[in-house]
Amino acid sequence: MSLKKPALHTASRTLSRLLLHSITNISLPCRQYATDSRLLKKPPIYGQPLASTHAHLIAPNELTPGIPKSEYEHRRSQLMDNLPDDSLVVCLGGTIKYMSQGVYKFRQASDFWYLTGFQEADAALILEKTSGRAGRPYRMTLFCRGKNARREQWDGARTGFDDVVSIFSADEACWILLILPNSHLTDIPQALDSSRFYSHLKSLMPRYSHYFFSPSPSSQSQSRRHKRKRTIVEYIAPSNVGSTFTLQEACDAVIDESSGARIRELPREVARLRCIKSTNEQAVMRNAADASGMAHAKTMRFANTRPNTPESSIAAHFEYLCLLSGAERMAYVPVVASGSNALVIHYTSNDSLVQEGDLVLVDAGCEFNGYASDITRTYPTFPTGRFTTAQAEIYNAVLSTLKYCTVLCTESSGLNLYELHTESCRMLSLELNRLGFNLRECSAGPGHSEVEKILYPHFLSHPVGIDLHEAFINRSSPLQSGMVITVEPGVYVPESPAFPKQYHNIGIRIEDEVLIQKDHPIVLSVNAPKEIADVEAACQGLLGLEPF
């Protein structure tokens, strides 16, 4: 493929003024809060926000913010249509994780949430596909904890079984027993059978021929199946009777007792759906990118307001801005790497001070309405808020590569992620050679070019969506309309006589989120300045954006 640069708009003064005008008039994707208190239900009566209780978050036709109830139904129907007849699907929800003295904020398991929209912990989904079923082509059973007044006083509301059926379109909602009461000490199998999930799943296994589980059975279960059948009693150690019986253990128990059952990976099947974002998902991801992009722009100013700013303060400021705009959490631990710390790709300790003349590389994004954002910007800091000549030259090399690769992010290009990465290596080598790096090109594929050995050691792209590294079938699959990927070239120059001295200890990465379309990509992270003129203007407070 030709290395000729595509025609891209440059940052002229006119365009910078236009950007200045537009960015100062951008409204954050902040959630619009209702002013009528009658629209709010306190305390909550369901285990998650719904349109009837949280009208300031969710529209009447939506099950979760931005995603209508009908879309969840469509996802399940698509999944079951793709599976053979006589298929059984088992998808486990997330469990609460504990700190030393408290509880981590709960996040639902991604595949489970994608198929149900149900946000409570300790839940499970069973879908059955039968050839002769009237109406929708599957039966849906949702297992959950149900109402419990005593626990709800401590932990908050739960959704009752009747409401689970009506709200989440389940055919049946059942109690999932996860705590084995001490009264069952004399008959452990009976105690386990009292769990509707275990007993129901056990009864279904002989009726079906194809089994799809998420997560996949544990490695312990797989290895046991090649040795001997384990009795159900062995799943509960004597010291643990009366304690937690996990969903994964229930699945493992049923699988071990179902001789000859070939268990397939459900995540692979769901990934085929998740990799193509619907129009609603694209809108939610744009909101997530808008929130993170504006946080980047304002944090550029914050990092230039005083000397010796701690990297941790920059990370905290970015997170504060994201949460203020309505994000649930950060999508990942932020990288705030100043100076030569930027040579460490996943630098997350964030415990140094930003010194005068340092560049700071900030790789950070929020999770907004269940979808992740992933954006990186590198910018100058106090006192000038300007790139040095050497910094600007490396920055422009990376930026040119980013722009070149972004234009290729279309379905009509016919490229896959490997080929896109190869193009980034070729373009980056060309740009660096203009600066005196003398790098040899290589057409042997990813991992073989000279630039990748030290200066650019990571891959160009990864899919992003509900997860930061979204489910994806294969890097060798061609790009398709509706995919959302990152484009993130970088250069990290160590102190080595092999490279021009003026560029030593400079680390620069620029990362955008890009929505693939047939002929024209859409950059979702457009709110985060990346042209040198605009980055410097943001750092110096000339875009009209203050730190808060």
Side-chain angles (χ1 to χ4, degrees):
M1 182 173 294
S2 171
L3 290 181
K4 181 181 179 180
K5 293 185 182 179
L8 292 169
H9 296 295
T10 59
S12 67
R13 294 192 178 189
T14 301
L15 287 177
S16 294
R17 285 196 295 268
L18 289 174
L19 178 61
L20 170 61
H21 172 76
S22 61
I23 201 168
T24 54
N25 287 281
I26 290 175
S27 59
L28 282 172
C30 207
R31 296 176 178 177
Q32 300 301 310
Y33 297 102
T35 56
D36 188 347
S37 61
R38 293 172 298 178
L39 299 176
L40 304 176
K41 303 287 186 180
K42 295 182 181 180
I45 57 177
Y46 302 111
Q48 67 187 73
L50 297 172
S52 60
T53 60
H54 292 71
H56 60 297
L57 298 178
I58 304 176
N61 66 325
E62 295 173 350
L63 183 56
T64 59
I67 308 297
K69 182 177 181 179
S70 59
E71 183 156 324
Y72 287 98
E73 177 68 41
H74 179 66
R75 292 170 179 176
R76 293 190 295 268
S77 295
Q78 269 192 307
L79 172 66
M80 301 309 285
D81 286 343
N82 292 341
L83 301 182
D85 289 340
D86 295 323
S87 288
L88 180 68
V89 167
V90 179
C91 188
L92 304 185
T95 58
I96 294 174
K97 294 179 173 60
Y98 292 89
M99 302 170 65
S100 58
Q101 297 295 328
V103 180
Y104 285 104
K105 185 175 182 180
F106 176 70
R107 185 187 187 276
Q108 187 58 275
S110 298
D111 281 350
F112 181 87
W113 185 77
Y114 180 81
L115 293 172
T116 66
F118 190 73
Q119 296 181 15
E120 296 180 41
D122 299 325
L125 171 70
I126 294 181
L127 301 175
E128 307 167 56
K129 180 176 182 178
T130 54
S131 55
R133 181 174 172 80
R136 65 183 183 181
Y138 64 89
R139 174 178 172 80
M140 173 180 173
T141 307
L142 190 58
F143 290 83
C144 59
R145 298 173 298 179
K147 304 294 287 183
N148 183 318
R150 181 181 176 186
R151 291 312 313 166
E152 290 178 75
Q153 183 181 12
W154 285 88
D155 304 326
R158 297 178 180 179
T159 306
F161 299 126
D162 290 341
D163 289 324
V164 168
V165 170
S166 61
I167 294 170
F168 297 93
S169 302
D171 293 291
E172 185 179 10
C174 299
W175 180 43
I176 190 163
L177 177 68
L178 294 175
I179 304 297
L180 298 177
N182 288 325
S183 59
H184 290 162
L185 283 173
T186 58
D187 191 352
I188 294 176
Q190 180 181 342
L192 292 174
D193 282 334
S194 71
S195 164
R196 286 294 307 278
F197 175 68
Y198 167 79
S199 58
H200 185 71
L201 179 57
K202 183 178 178 181
S203 70
L204 289 178
M205 294 294 284
R207 305 182 197 175
Y208 294 92
S209 306
H210 308 280
Y211 311 95
F212 298 85
F213 280 60
S214 178
S216 302
S218 68
S219 57
Q220 292 86 352
S221 174
Q222 296 281 34
S223 61
R224 284 194 302 266
R225 298 184 70 193
H226 294 289
K227 295 179 181 178
R228 66 177 180 85
K229 288 182 64 176
R230 228 164 79 130
T231 65
I232 193 65
V233 179
E234 292 179 86
Y235 281 90
I236 307 297
S239 61
N240 289 334
V241 174
S243 64
T244 299
F245 176 59
T246 69
L247 289 168
Q248 187 66 63
E249 288 171 335
C251 284
D252 289 349
V254 171
I255 291 169
D256 278 359
E257 294 173 0
S258 302
S259 58
R262 179 192 169 196
I263 308 301
R264 303 182 187 181
E265 294 184 2
L266 179 63
R268 180 174 293 273
E269 303 300 324
V270 178
R272 302 179 196 277
L273 308 179
R274 284 176 56 183
C275 71
I276 305 297
K277 305 300 186 287
S278 69
T279 302
N280 292 314
E281 289 180 295
Q282 293 172 21
V284 174
M285 292 195 69
R286 176 57 190 267
N287 286 338
D290 281 348
S292 294
M294 188 59 70
H296 273 286
K298 291 191 170 188
T299 302
M300 289 178 186
R301 180 59 184 147
F302 173 79
N304 278 270
T305 54
R306 56 180 175 163
N308 299 320
T309 302
E311 293 169 339
S312 59
S313 295
I314 295 175
H317 189 76
F318 184 94
E319 182 173 2
Y320 163 75
L321 293 171
C322 288
L323 297 181
L324 193 65
S325 69
E328 291 92 10
R329 57 179 66 83
M330 299 303 291
Y332 52 99
V333 179
V335 171
V336 181
S338 60
S340 58
N341 288 340
L343 303 186
V344 180
I345 309 300
H346 286 163
Y347 173 87
T348 56
S349 54
N350 303 337
D351 56 7
S352 294
L353 298 178
V354 180
Q355 297 175 317
E356 289 189 14
D358 278 348
L359 292 179
V360 61
L361 186 158
V362 179
D363 184 342
C366 69
E367 183 177 306
F368 192 94
N369 290 345
Y371 286 79
S373 57
D374 189 1
I375 304 171
T376 305
R377 292 294 185 262
T378 308
Y379 46 88
T381 55
F382 189 89
T384 66
R386 292 183 180 277
F387 292 94
T388 66
T389 299
Q391 292 169 348
E393 288 173 342
I394 296 294
Y395 189 94
N396 275 324
V398 176
L399 182 61
S400 295
T401 303
L402 172 73
K403 290 178 176 181
Y404 173 76
C405 293
T406 298
V407 171
L408 299 176
C409 292
T410 63
E411 183 176 312
S412 60
S413 74
L415 297 177
N416 59 42
L417 291 185
Y418 282 125
E419 293 165 336
L420 196 61
H421 176 74
T422 298
E423 287 302 309
S424 74
C425 294
R426 290 176 180 172
M427 179 56 66
L428 195 54
S429 296
L430 181 63
E431 292 291 337
L432 292 177
N433 283 343
R434 290 173 178 166
L435 302 178
F437 277 78
N438 298 317
L439 301 169
R440 295 188 303 272
E441 292 187 18
C442 177
S443 58
H448 296 280
S449 66
E450 191 171 6
V451 71
E452 294 173 274
K453 294 178 182 178
I454 297 176
L455 297 174
Y456 175 38
H458 58 77
F459 205 71
L460 174 72
S461 302
H462 64 81
V464 61
I466 296 173
D467 292 321
L468 176 66
H469 287 255
E470 183 67 299
F472 195 66
I473 305 302
N474 197 322
R475 282 179 172 177
S476 61
S477 300
L479 298 175
Q480 299 179 57
S481 295
M483 290 180 172
V484 177
I485 65 172
T486 63
V487 179
E488 48 182 309
V491 171
Y492 316 89
V493 187
E495 289 188 35
S496 168
F499 308 120
K501 185 175 182 180
Q502 66 268 33
Y503 305 123
H504 287 181
N505 290 324
I506 293 178
I508 292 175
R509 183 166 65 252
I510 312 172
E511 177 183 17
D512 274 331
E513 284 182 50
V514 180
L515 169 63
I516 308 297
Q517 294 199 310
K518 183 169 179 58
D519 298 311
H520 304 286
I522 296 177
V523 177
L524 299 180
S525 47
V526 68
N527 266 12
K530 63 174 179 278
E531 296 288 348
I532 283 185
D534 302 318
V535 170
E536 291 182 341
C539 291
Q540 298 166 34
L542 301 179
L543 290 184
L545 295 173
E546 292 305 316
F548 296 93

